[in-house]
Amino acid sequence: MQEALSVGVTSRPHVCAGSVRANTAALQRCWRREPSRRAAAQICKERLLQCSAQAQSSDYITANVEVEPEAETEGMSAWLDGLKWDAGGLVAVMAQHVDTGEVLMQAYADRAALNETLQTRLATFYSRSRKGRWCKGETSGHFIKVLKVYLDCDRDSIIYQGEPVGPACHTGARTCYFSSVERTDARLHEESNHASTSNMPASSLFALEGIIQQRVQQHSQDAGSKPSWTAKLAGNQGLLCSKIREEAGELCETLEGKEGQERAACEMADLLYHSMVLLHVQVRLLVCLPNFDITPPVQPLVVHKATGCCL
């Protein structure tokens, strides 16, 4: 069981590097270029975060935050006292992507780091190697903007859930977890590649997205082979659209005909799969168009010094 803790002292200014809201005009320009609004939202968000991560520190006007002692926040000391610290006065902290659910990294925090994170809303830790405070991103620009903090049932580990600005790993990978291990044929096998997402943990939908991409690529590399159903759909827009309309109708029929939850779930799965193939086709067509740049320009991110809000 997890306990959610409200994050941040919202009346205080804070560094807000990489917020998508700071670039509304660019987001709208990118939105208009994308044929699928749902795809546009995610693609543009990722592009803006990538651009923000590459921006120089001079591009930002940030509030100079002086973190208050824990005693200045009502209830902070009592909450910190209730955590189960290890012998070194630390708790384990996992950083999780708020949109994808990916585990980005794992580190440790002491009282001061948690107190700072809850005030600035930037992921801050205790570095065991440096033996001191570590606000992720201060050197690389790859901050993690914390939206919520979660506490586990034993009160000895924490989750920072938020938006990463750029890669989370020092290798340049989006997550520190890019090595997979499995036992097959009485042997242990480890695969690792920080430049690929193939070995990174993925939710079911992201795994399905990867399979769709793989099926389409396999057929494009061997055009003479018999296409899989996925490749056939991707290559025939008329067939794909007719299947989506068919599956949408069948999903509605499960409600109208009172066919039950199991049948509804099956039809929803069919509709979701075919819709994701369509989404893949839309994005692939955009990416493959020559001389078509859908990356919005970087705009300076400005933080209002009085309110801490991104402008």
Side-chain angles (χ1 to χ4, degrees):
M1 187 168 86
Q2 291 179 329
E3 175 183 337
L5 180 70
S6 178
V7 172
V9 181
T10 56
S11 61
R12 290 192 55 78
H14 60 278
V15 180
C16 194
S19 172
V20 176
R21 290 191 298 270
N23 218 329
T24 303
L27 180 60
Q28 290 174 342
R29 286 196 295 273
C30 186
W31 183 286
R32 288 193 295 270
R33 290 174 178 175
E34 300 285 358
S36 168
R37 288 194 173 186
R38 192 174 295 273
Q42 185 62 30
I43 292 172
C44 293
K45 182 174 182 180
E46 292 177 356
R47 298 268 166 82
L48 287 171
L49 289 174
Q50 290 168 2
C51 291
S52 298
Q54 296 166 358
Q56 299 297 318
S57 58
S58 58
D59 290 335
Y60 300 97
I61 301 174
T62 58
N64 191 5
V65 178
E66 181 178 351
V67 179
E68 295 178 346
E70 64 179 67
E72 297 298 317
T73 301
E74 184 179 353
M76 179 73 77
S77 294
W79 180 74
L80 292 171
D81 288 341
L83 299 183
K84 292 183 180 178
W85 307 94
D86 67 13
L90 304 176
V91 291
V93 179
M94 309 291 290
Q96 181 187 36
H97 197 303
V98 68
D99 292 329
T100 67
E102 290 172 291
V103 178
L104 301 172
M105 58 172 288
Q106 185 255 316
Y108 294 87
D110 59 2
R111 296 178 70 102
L114 288 174
N115 178 51
E116 180 172 341
T117 298
L118 289 167
Q119 292 189 48
T120 65
R121 290 188 279 179
L122 293 176
T124 305
F125 308 93
Y126 179 88
S127 171
R128 295 179 298 173
S129 58
R130 303 173 192 173
K131 299 188 183 305
R133 169 191 172 277
W134 169 39
C135 177
K136 178 167 175 55
E138 281 187 333
T139 302
S140 65
H142 301 157
F143 294 93
I144 297 178
K145 183 181 176 185
V146 179
L147 303 178
K148 273 198 171 183
V149 171
Y150 291 91
L151 174 67
D152 82 329
C153 58
D154 292 325
R155 307 183 72 83
D156 61 0
S157 66
I158 302 286
I159 294 177
Y160 289 167
Q161 189 181 65
E163 287 181 339
V165 181
C169 185
H170 72 281
T171 63
R174 56 183 293 141
T175 168
C176 293
Y177 296 90
F178 50 79
S179 299
S180 62
V181 182
E182 63 178 340
R183 182 184 182 277
T184 57
D185 301 326
R187 289 187 177 184
L188 194 67
H189 300 273
E190 178 177 340
E191 295 186 17
S192 179
N193 184 357
H194 75 274
S196 171
T197 59
S198 59
N199 294 318
M200 296 180 185
S203 63
S204 298
L205 287 182
F206 279 88
L208 176 57
E209 181 181 335
I211 293 173
I212 290 172
Q213 182 177 5
Q214 183 184 53
R215 294 288 190 271
V216 175
Q217 287 179 343
Q218 286 175 345
H219 182 63
S220 65
Q221 293 169 359
D222 186 8
S225 63
K226 183 178 179 180
S228 65
W229 177 242
T230 299
K232 187 175 181 179
L233 288 170
N236 187 330
Q237 294 186 16
L239 175 63
L240 176 58
C241 290
S242 69
K243 287 299 297 181
I244 291 175
R245 294 187 184 100
E246 175 188 332
E247 298 299 344
E250 291 178 355
L251 176 60
C252 292
E253 289 171 5
T254 65
L255 178 61
E256 296 166 343
K258 298 180 174 54
E259 298 178 12
Q261 295 180 354
E262 184 175 349
R263 182 64 178 169
C266 291
E267 295 301 339
M268 182 62 211
D270 287 343
L271 177 59
L272 184 60
Y273 157 71
H274 287 89
S275 299
M276 288 184 68
V277 175
L278 183 146
L279 181 59
H280 172 81
V281 171
Q282 293 278 40
V283 175
R284 180 168 56 87
L285 286 176
L286 283 168
V287 172
C288 291
L289 285 176
N291 303 319
F292 188 79
D293 181 15
I294 61 174
T295 302
V298 177
Q299 300 288 339
L301 303 185
V302 180
V303 176
H304 193 284
K305 288 180 178 280
T307 65
C309 295
C310 291
L311 304 178

